[in-house]
Each structure stands twice: as C-alpha cells, then as structure tokens.
Amino acid sequence: MNNDKWLIRNGQFIVNAPETSVVKGCMMIENGRITYIGESLPEGEEETPFIDGKGLLFMPGLVNTHGHAAMSLLRGYGDDLALQVWLQEKMWPMEAKFTSNDVYWGSSLSVLEMLKGGTTTFLDMYDHMDQVARVVQESGIRASLMRGAIGLCSEEEQAFKLAEAVQFAKEWNGQADGRITTMLSPHAPYTCPPAFIEKFVQASYDLDLPLHTHMSETAAEVQQNVDSYGLRPVAHLEKLGFFDRPSLVAHAVHLTDEEIAVLASHQVGVSHNPGSNLKLASGVARVNDLLKAGVTVSLGTDGPASNNNLDMFEEMRLAALIHKGVSGDPTAVPAAEALRMGTEYGARSIFLNDTGTLAAGNKADFIALDIDQPHFLPYSDLISHVIYSASAKDVAHVWVDGIQVVKNGESLTMDEERIKSEAQAAFEGLLAR
Amino acid sequence: MNNDKWLIRNGQFIVNAPETSVVKGCMMIENGRITYIGESLPEGEEETPFIDGKGLLFMPGLVNTHGHAAMSLLRGYGDDLALQVWLQEKMWPMEAKFTSNDVYWGSSLSVLEMLKGGTTTFLDMYDHMDQVARVVQESGIRASLMRGAIGLCSEEEQAFKLAEAVQFAKEWNGQADGRITTMLSPHAPYTCPPAFIEKFVQASYDLDLPLHTHMSETAAEVQQNVDSYGLRPVAHLEKLGFFDRPSLVAHAVHLTDEEIAVLASHQVGVSHNPGSNLKLASGVARVNDLLKAGVTVSLGTDGPASNNNLDMFEEMRLAALIHKGVSGDPTAVPAAEALRMGTEYGARSIFLNDTGTLAAGNKADFIALDIDQPHFLPYSDLISHVIYSASAKDVAHVWVDGIQVVKNGESLTMDEERIKSEAQAAFEGLLAR
C-alpha cells in the first residue's frame, strides 16, 4: 500500500517513550513518515485506507551498522580459523578476484536476506561501491555506504583509492530518494599508514561527511599499533584527528578504561559485532562499560563470511546474552537496551536523526513480526520475546520510507530466484578463476 | 508417508562416517528405520514410493538433553534477573500454582515448538510428568522423561516424591511405541540432602535406569556445597555413588581440572545449556576442556523461561561461537563438532544407541531443512551453514520413527491453534490465581 496516507489498525507497536513499551492501537503513515501512534483511531480518519495489524507486532526496522555485504559470496568458505589466517589465506585471495559483477550479486544476496529479516538500514564498507549503491536503489533499503580503503600499497595506489572513496561519497550522498548517505572510511589503523588516515580526515572536513573504520578488533592488532606507533589505536586515531570528526568505529573489542573515556568524550559511536567477534575468537567487547560511559553502542553483523548470517535479531540476542554470561551480571544489557542497540542507537550511530524508532515525525522504516507462533506465547512481555525468542524468519512485512518492500516474507522489490542463482554462479566463478 | 518402505531421492544427507560430511543421493526407510544411504538408488527399488528431496538438506533430528517444557508458560515472565531472585521470586511461586492442566498445555506448547524446530527427542525433568508423557504420546516426539524431585521438605514429603518418581519411571519406560524412556532425577545437590540423593541412586540400581541432575550451574551453589558438605559437587556426587550409575548432569559450568577428570573417568555425560547459562549469568562452561577430556557433551535449552526459545540450532551456534570468543581459540568447537553435540552426542547422553545420526540401522528420526533460501547461499559448506546460519524456522519436515510429524512447517500431530490459545489461557489463569 503506497497511498499517501494510510493506517495500521488493531496492531501492537513498540515505542520508546517514556520508556520502551508496547502500544496497542493505530499507526498512521503519511508520505513516508509516521504521523501518529496511539490507542485510538485519530479523529476524522475513519475512511482512511488501512491494513489490519492483528497478530502482528510492529517495531522499528533494524539498523546494521557494520558489514561488507558482498562477502556473502564467501559464506562458509573458511570457518573455524584464526582471523589473520582466515583473512590472508581465505578471504583476501578470493576478494582480490571480485569483479563488479560479483559485488553486485553478493550485495544483492545480502540485501535480500537483510530486508526479509527486518533490517531496513545497513552500513556497507567495501569496494566496487557503485554496485552496492545500485542494489540499494533497486531494493528500496536504506544504507550508509563507503569505499573502504586499505593503505598497504604504493602512494600512487593510495591516492587512487582515496580519490575513488571521495568520488563515491560525493556522487552518491543523498541518492536513491535520500535513502543513501555516505561516509569516508580508511579500513583500519593496522592497514593504513597515519598519513593516509589523515587524508581521509581532511576529506571528511572537505565533504562534511562522517568517518568510519575498523578499530581494536584483535589484541594482536592493538599490540602492533603500539609497536609501530607507540600508541594504542584510540590514542593513535585521536592524535590523527579522526575523533574530532563525527565518527563510528567497528568492533572496539580491546579497550582500556582510558580509551573508553576518550571515545565517550568525543562522542565516537561503537558498532559492536558480537557474532563476528566470537566466531573469529577476537574476544568479548566491554559493552557494559561502554554503555555506562555513555557511548552509543549499536550492532553490526560484519560480513556474512564471519557471522555467517545477517540476522540482526541474533545480534541483539547475543548482545543481551554474552555480556551477562561473561560479566556474571544478569542485569547487564537488558532486553529493552539490546533492542535500542539494534534500532535507535543504530540510526544515531550512522547519523540518521529521523529513523530508528516508531515516533510521529520519523521516517516510516518499520517491520511487522508474526507473533501468532508458539515461541511468542504466552503474551507476557513482547520486548523480551523480540530479544530472547525471535529470529529474522519471524518477520512478515517490511516497510522503508512507508513503502512496503517485503510482504508475507516475500521480497516485493528483488528477484529472489535470480539472485540466488547468480550468487551461486558468482561463487563458482570465483572458485574456477 | 507412512508406507512400510519408502525412499527419499535426489536429496542431500548429513552423515557422520568416516567424518561429518554430506552425501548426495538416496535414503531408504523401512518400518521406521533407515536401511540405506548412498549416492545411487539401491537395486530393485525403482518402484518403491519416494519423495523428492530437491532443495532440502536432511540431517538427524536434534536432541535436547535438558529442559522443563511446561515452563514455556513463564516465557518472558521475569528476565534480566539473578538466578536465585528469578527462581525464588518469579519462577517458584508461579510453579507452585501449576496444575496438571498447566503442565499439559505448557508442555504441549514446548513440544509443538520443538517439533516444528527440528527437535525429535527431548529430555524433560519436571512435575506432573504423566501430563508430559501424554503430550509425547500424542505428538509423536521421542523423550527421556523423569520426575525431578526437590528435597527441601519433610522426610514424609521426600518419600512421596521418590515414590512418585519411581512409579512414573516404571510405568512409562518403553511406552508410546518405545518413544518414551525414563530416568531418575534428584533436582540438584543444593536442593537435595545427601540421604535423599542416595535413595535415588538405589532406585536407579533397582530399576536399572540412569540418573540425571542439575550440577554446578552457579559458583554460589558450588560454594554452598563446600560449606555444607566439605566437598565440591562432583566429589560429593561421586561419594554418594551417583557416578557409579549411568548418569547425565546438566550445566556443569563451574568445574576444576580434577572434576573434569572425575566426570571423564566415570563416563558422566554433560548437558551444556549455553543460552540459559548466559542469560542467567551463570558463566561459561569449560566445554573445550570437557571435550578434550573425552566427556560426552550434549546440548540443552533448559526451560523456555531462561532461554527463551527452544531453538536447538541456536544452542549449537552458541556452543560453536562462545567457546571460541571466550577462549580466544577460533578452532574451538568447530561446526561439525557443534552439530554432533546437538545430535549424536545428545542421543548418547540419554542412553539411546540407535538414533542421533543418519546411518543404516538407526531409527528414522530426521529432519529436512529448506536450503533454497538466501542465507544458505552459496552452497559452499552445508555443515557450516547448518551451524552458523540456520535456525529452527528453516525446518520444513520432521520424521520420528519414520513417521512424518511436521510437513512444510506445519504440525501433523498437534492442534496448534488450540495449544496456543490454551497456553495463553493457562498463563492468564496463573496470573489470576
């Protein structure tokens, strides 16, 4: 239903004010924005077209704040290996062969999985980003996109990559009816010389765009930073001016108290990637401490090759579970906080100020879960059920900008059969080359 | 299809010999048992009825080796609390009100969720066990059942509980066409005086049945054991003769090296409950060390109130993920081992010797996953996909003893609408009483 004004009646809606709770009633959408949520039908709207929300739980679309969508082509190609072995012997040699066509179909496969699983916005840092942007345009998803640049190369090649990153960021920011925003992204302190990072910082000023990077994913990489530059990664990036810009770091597993304080004082966001960090044995991030310090912690799946799915419900559940188990504090990351990490904090992390919650005035990026299923019974605490019991496969419907993109679990915008077959062919092509 | 002899053609089958791998071809089922798995159609079977396995991945049904099914009625009723607060202020007061009717509908809700999610066998330790047995009879699932007895009561009441446990174990062992087996189960060392545990050990000899108990779930309970009896739980149970019997302990989170050696030497199985242990902040079990010591480690969901779903794919994934992340060893609990924990080791843990793997001679307890979905692409390593990408909702079909109980995600044996509505009513009744 793409009418200019429409309603959901008889639904249940997860809202955030005054605290995260569930409202039973109606939601109105006008021109892609939520204009009303409340128990009763707004006056004068008796004739407005509506859909029946019975048996559905409506919540904000999930926001995946770190990933490399095209890596879905390498899902299951190398598991149970150490990060550096996995990167150097499995991922990088295969990724070096990726063509634009591979990135297009790999990204399509991931966006299809994400949309069907309730993710309405994702961040993507990769190469051949025009292809990813094309997928965003076609699919109707929202995205924060950036060309990730590894600087372990000649200065000439560095300059080429930087120019490509700048060009992409300029050209695509605001495209796809405003669904695409862009950032600038040196890959990581351990893969980018300081001078290369500084150029990205400068470009971030020049283009007035935020910065993103991988940081302190492994203990070894932190030690390498100390050995190379005499500083841990946070102090190193601070010194390079990175944190003077609006910025988001991915992983941030290995942090000292001082580093947490620095991130908090600069309002640096952290994209926590629990599934990937566990699978690659990188460690367990200090999420309790980050949240207590006031850092905005959001959630990312990372690439599908290190996860290995793009189910943001699983990331929310992992965030709610592992920090309890590892800290011994069963009150750590309660369900409502995990939900905010997957939605509201996600939007804030990538500098979107009008999505991530169901609230009048916000963009109508939302999803409906089919809660008429055994694992959602009894109806005791729906927020608990979303975090501790739901999965991507419970998502029935998805809307972005008020436009429905998934209906009864089927994509309305993407050709699923074609994408599956092309992704398989792309993988086989990579193996054969 | 309940024919005496039938085939699956054109399928992919996860087998365990010589190592866990996938066979493309046929599986034959005769009178509830697997009689053949191989690449080609067996000679002379061209006319045998068959189903087409295209797009499906066949694997053993999952075996859930610790739980309290009826607690589904308390799903979401109290989260993010410490174990003792959760038990004493939330669970136990509500459970004290449970009637036979509550246990029947709560267990029905759980068995429905388990069957639809690919669990073909579960262990249940609870009260009103006749009701759980009824659900097993009606649903077609396989189960190891036992009346769990808390001994914090008068000797008279203890004697009554023991008699009830013995009576149940005698009466129901071998029932439901052999799908029910029984065990004897004092609740835990911290809830049962030593003399009470000894009576269960004696009954285990008398009835020739195995033993099950909770053990060392929390650090506090271990300390309490030391304070009360001068021994940690493993030495305590060993002294009481518990480990001289075939036995399975649930949780076993807090173990010393010596305790691991004792469990290994007595061939005591451990039911690892990663979701519940994380959620209740009990800690992270030493699964790597247990496996290295040769202990049979299987997986349990625990009750739905501390999990909060009964998705055994999630437990396998948690087992594969958290022990990597916490130990720093990315090769810990590889995908194939997590799969065995959820299937083969599960069956072995509850003393079933002819289920848990797809192999000629075994009972035909198996499931089919719909792998024609984006998160299973590309078809690189299907075992990796089962562990790192699949969920309960990917299960299309389920067979127990060769009889189909779930078809295209719908239960063939249980009345889903009735169960959901009765479970909700039971929860509301508990709140009102």
Side-chain angles (χ1 to χ4, degrees):
Chain A
M1 191 181 304
N2 301 341
N3 306 57
D4 283 347
K5 180 158 85 171
W6 59 284
L7 283 162
I8 297 160
R9 289 197 199 184
N10 193 27
Q12 300 194 73
F13 304 89
I14 296 183
V15 297
N16 276 10
E19 57 185 27
T20 309
S21 61
V22 177
V23 171
K24 288 189 186 193
C26 290
M27 182 162 83
M28 189 156 67
I29 292 95
E30 293 180 72
N31 298 315
R33 287 195 185 257
I34 297 165
T35 52
Y36 170 86
I37 300 178
E39 293 183 8
S40 53
L41 187 67
E43 263 186 61
E45 304 297 345
E46 291 76 10
E47 303 300 319
T48 304
F50 70 94
I51 62 170
D52 184 3
K54 185 166 184 285
L56 298 173
L57 176 65
F58 296 85
M59 56 177 278
L62 300 164
V63 182
N64 182 350
T65 62
H66 183 70
H68 316 284
M71 290 182 79
S72 64
L73 295 187
L74 303 180
R75 189 198 318 268
Y77 181 75
D79 294 299
D80 308 327
L81 299 169
L83 177 65
Q84 291 308 323
V85 177
W86 176 76
L87 281 175
Q88 290 168 17
E89 294 178 18
K90 290 283 182 175
M91 295 298 114
W92 289 349
M94 284 291 265
E95 287 181 285
K97 298 192 248 177
F98 271 37
T99 61
S100 284
N101 187 63
D102 293 325
V103 170
Y104 178 77
W105 291 113
S107 301
S108 292
L109 185 68
S110 286
V111 168
L112 176 62
E113 182 188 348
M114 285 194 275
L115 276 178
K116 290 177 77 168
T119 295
T120 52
T121 301
F122 75 110
L123 177 149
D124 205 63
M125 179 215 281
Y126 213 65
D127 196 359
H128 303 284
M129 289 303 296
D130 286 356
Q131 301 301 317
V132 185
R134 247 181 86 197
V135 175
V136 173
Q137 273 187 319
E138 295 165 0
S139 65
I141 201 169
R142 191 182 304 287
S144 172
L145 304 180
M146 63 216 68
R147 202 279 194 222
I150 293 181
L152 303 172
C153 50
S154 68
E155 287 201 14
E156 197 180 355
E157 202 177 332
Q158 283 181 13
F160 175 80
K161 287 179 178 178
L162 174 66
E164 205 175 59
V166 166
Q167 175 66 20
F168 175 80
K170 274 207 296 215
E171 188 176 324
W172 284 95
N173 194 37
Q175 293 300 309
D177 301 321
R179 285 182 283 106
I180 293 177
T181 50
T182 58
M183 294 174 78
L184 291 159
S185 183
H187 176 268
Y190 76 96
T191 57
C192 294
F196 191 47
I197 293 176
E198 282 175 328
K199 285 179 184 146
F200 275 88
V201 173
Q202 185 56 50
S204 156
Y205 280 105
D206 296 344
L207 275 67
D208 193 19
L209 288 172
L211 288 163
H212 182 50
T213 195
H214 297 98
M215 188 192 76
S216 303
E217 181 174 2
T218 66
E221 136 202 355
V222 171
Q223 187 56 48
Q224 189 184 324
N225 210 92
V226 171
D227 294 345
S228 302
Y229 309 117
L231 293 170
R232 291 174 61 92
V234 171
H236 180 66
L237 288 175
E238 186 184 29
K239 187 178 160 194
L240 298 175
F242 198 95
F243 298 146
D244 296 331
R245 299 292 307 151
S247 52
L248 171 69
V249 294
H251 302 297
V253 175
H254 300 276
L255 296 177
T256 63
D257 290 348
E258 294 68 30
E259 287 178 297
I260 291 174
V262 170
L263 294 176
S265 72
H266 288 281
Q267 298 186 285
V268 176
V270 167
S271 177
H272 175 42
N273 293 194
S276 176
N277 295 160
L278 291 171
K279 182 156 185 282
L280 296 170
S282 304
V284 177
R286 296 177 58 189
V287 167
N288 295 335
D289 298 323
L290 285 163
L291 288 169
K292 274 183 201 150
V295 173
T296 298
V297 182
S298 58
L299 294 169
T301 55
D302 207 354
S306 64
N307 191 303
N308 292 350
N309 63 32
L310 299 172
D311 181 349
M312 281 288 289
F313 289 92
E314 187 184 321
E315 301 304 321
M316 292 193 292
R317 180 154 52 244
L318 282 173
L321 291 179
I322 61 176
H323 303 295
K324 293 178 173 67
V326 168
S327 70
D329 175 4
T331 69
V333 193
E337 185 76 342
L339 182 59
R340 288 187 288 264
M341 290 167 73
T343 55
E344 180 186 359
Y345 301 165
R348 192 191 300 167
S349 292
I350 57 173
F351 311 98
L352 301 178
N353 58 17
D354 55 0
T355 185
T357 59
L358 297 191
N362 270 3
K363 285 176 175 154
D365 294 356
F366 65 98
I367 66 179
L369 303 189
D370 171 11
I371 59 168
D372 185 17
Q373 299 186 83
H375 58 292
F376 287 105
L377 268 289
Y379 297 135
S380 50
D381 180 342
L382 294 181
I383 290 159
S384 160
H385 291 354
V386 167
I387 297 303
Y388 296 119
S389 203
S391 81
K393 295 285 297 279
D394 296 321
V395 175
H397 312 294
V398 179
W399 290 263
V400 180
D401 269 348
I403 295 170
Q404 188 158 14
V405 290
V406 172
K407 186 172 182 176
N408 296 317
E410 300 292 328
S411 172
L412 299 178
T413 53
M414 305 183 82
D415 182 345
E416 173 156 343
E417 292 311 313
R418 172 97 197 268
I419 290 167
K420 286 186 295 196
S421 129
E422 294 283 357
Q424 179 66 21
F427 172 65
E428 289 169 10
L430 286 166
L431 284 182
R433 281 203 291 278
Chain B
M1 192 182 303
N2 300 340
N3 306 57
D4 283 346
K5 180 157 88 173
W6 59 283
L7 284 162
I8 297 160
R9 290 197 198 182
N10 193 27
Q12 299 193 73
F13 303 89
I14 297 183
V15 296
N16 275 10
E19 58 185 26
T20 309
S21 62
V22 177
V23 171
K24 289 191 186 192
C26 289
M27 181 161 84
M28 189 156 67
I29 292 95
E30 293 181 73
N31 298 316
R33 289 194 184 258
I34 298 165
T35 51
Y36 170 85
I37 301 177
E39 292 183 8
S40 53
L41 186 67
E43 264 185 61
E45 304 296 345
E46 292 75 11
E47 303 300 319
T48 304
F50 69 94
I51 62 170
D52 184 4
K54 183 164 185 284
L56 298 173
L57 175 65
F58 294 86
M59 56 177 277
L62 299 164
V63 182
N64 181 351
T65 62
H66 183 70
H68 317 283
M71 290 182 79
S72 64
L73 295 187
L74 303 180
R75 190 198 316 269
Y77 180 74
D79 294 299
D80 307 327
L81 299 168
L83 177 65
Q84 291 308 322
V85 176
W86 176 76
L87 281 175
Q88 290 168 17
E89 294 178 19
K90 289 283 181 175
M91 294 298 113
W92 289 350
M94 285 290 265
E95 288 182 283
K97 297 193 250 177
F98 271 37
T99 61
S100 284
N101 188 62
D102 294 325
V103 170
Y104 178 77
W105 291 113
S107 300
S108 294
L109 184 68
S110 287
V111 169
L112 177 62
E113 182 187 348
M114 285 194 276
L115 277 178
K116 290 178 77 169
T119 295
T120 52
T121 301
F122 74 110
L123 178 149
D124 205 63
M125 179 215 281
Y126 212 64
D127 196 359
H128 304 283
M129 289 303 297
D130 286 356
Q131 301 302 316
V132 185
R134 248 181 84 197
V135 175
V136 173
Q137 272 187 320
E138 296 165 0
S139 65
I141 200 168
R142 190 182 305 286
S144 172
L145 304 180
M146 64 217 68
R147 200 278 194 222
I150 292 181
L152 303 172
C153 51
S154 68
E155 286 200 15
E156 197 180 356
E157 203 178 331
Q158 283 181 12
F160 176 79
K161 287 180 178 178
L162 175 66
E164 206 175 59
V166 165
Q167 175 65 23
F168 175 80
K170 273 207 295 217
E171 187 177 324
W172 285 95
N173 195 38
Q175 293 299 310
D177 302 321
R179 285 182 283 106
I180 293 177
T181 49
T182 59
M183 294 173 79
L184 291 160
S185 182
H187 177 268
Y190 76 96
T191 57
C192 294
F196 191 48
I197 293 176
E198 282 175 330
K199 285 179 184 145
F200 275 88
V201 173
Q202 185 56 50
S204 155
Y205 280 106
D206 297 343
L207 275 66
D208 193 19
L209 289 172
L211 288 164
H212 181 50
T213 195
H214 297 99
M215 188 193 76
S216 303
E217 181 175 2
T218 66
E221 140 202 352
V222 172
Q223 187 55 48
Q224 190 184 324
N225 211 92
V226 172
D227 294 345
S228 302
Y229 309 117
L231 293 170
R232 291 174 61 92
V234 171
H236 180 64
L237 288 175
E238 186 184 27
K239 187 178 161 196
L240 298 175
F242 199 96
F243 298 147
D244 296 330
R245 300 293 306 152
S247 52
L248 171 69
V249 294
H251 303 300
V253 175
H254 300 276
L255 296 176
T256 63
D257 291 347
E258 294 68 29
E259 288 179 296
I260 291 175
V262 171
L263 295 176
S265 71
H266 287 281
Q267 297 186 284
V268 177
V270 168
S271 176
H272 174 42
N273 294 194
S276 176
N277 294 160
L278 291 171
K279 182 155 184 284
L280 296 170
S282 304
V284 177
R286 295 178 57 189
V287 166
N288 295 335
D289 297 323
L290 285 163
L291 289 168
K292 274 183 202 150
V295 174
T296 298
V297 183
S298 58
L299 293 170
T301 55
D302 207 354
S306 63
N307 192 303
N308 291 351
N309 64 31
L310 299 172
D311 181 349
M312 282 287 291
F313 290 92
E314 188 183 320
E315 301 304 321
M316 291 194 292
R317 179 154 54 242
L318 281 172
L321 290 179
I322 62 177
H323 303 294
K324 293 178 172 68
V326 168
S327 70
D329 175 6
T331 69
V333 193
E337 185 75 343
L339 182 59
R340 288 187 287 263
M341 290 168 72
T343 55
E344 180 186 359
Y345 301 166
R348 190 191 302 167
S349 293
I350 56 173
F351 310 99
L352 300 177
N353 59 18
D354 55 1
T355 184
T357 59
L358 297 190
N362 270 2
K363 286 177 174 155
D365 294 356
F366 65 98
I367 66 179
L369 304 188
D370 171 10
I371 59 168
D372 184 18
Q373 299 186 83
H375 58 292
F376 287 105
L377 269 288
Y379 297 136
S380 49
D381 179 342
L382 294 180
I383 290 160
S384 160
H385 291 354
V386 167
I387 296 303
Y388 296 119
S389 202
S391 81
K393 296 286 296 280
D394 297 320
V395 174
H397 312 297
V398 178
W399 291 263
V400 180
D401 268 347
I403 295 172
Q404 187 158 14
V405 290
V406 171
K407 187 172 181 175
N408 296 318
E410 300 292 329
S411 171
L412 298 178
T413 53
M414 305 183 84
D415 182 346
E416 172 156 345
E417 291 311 312
R418 172 97 197 269
I419 290 167
K420 285 186 295 196
S421 130
E422 295 283 357
Q424 179 66 21
F427 172 65
E428 289 169 10
L430 287 165
L431 284 182
R433 282 203 290 277

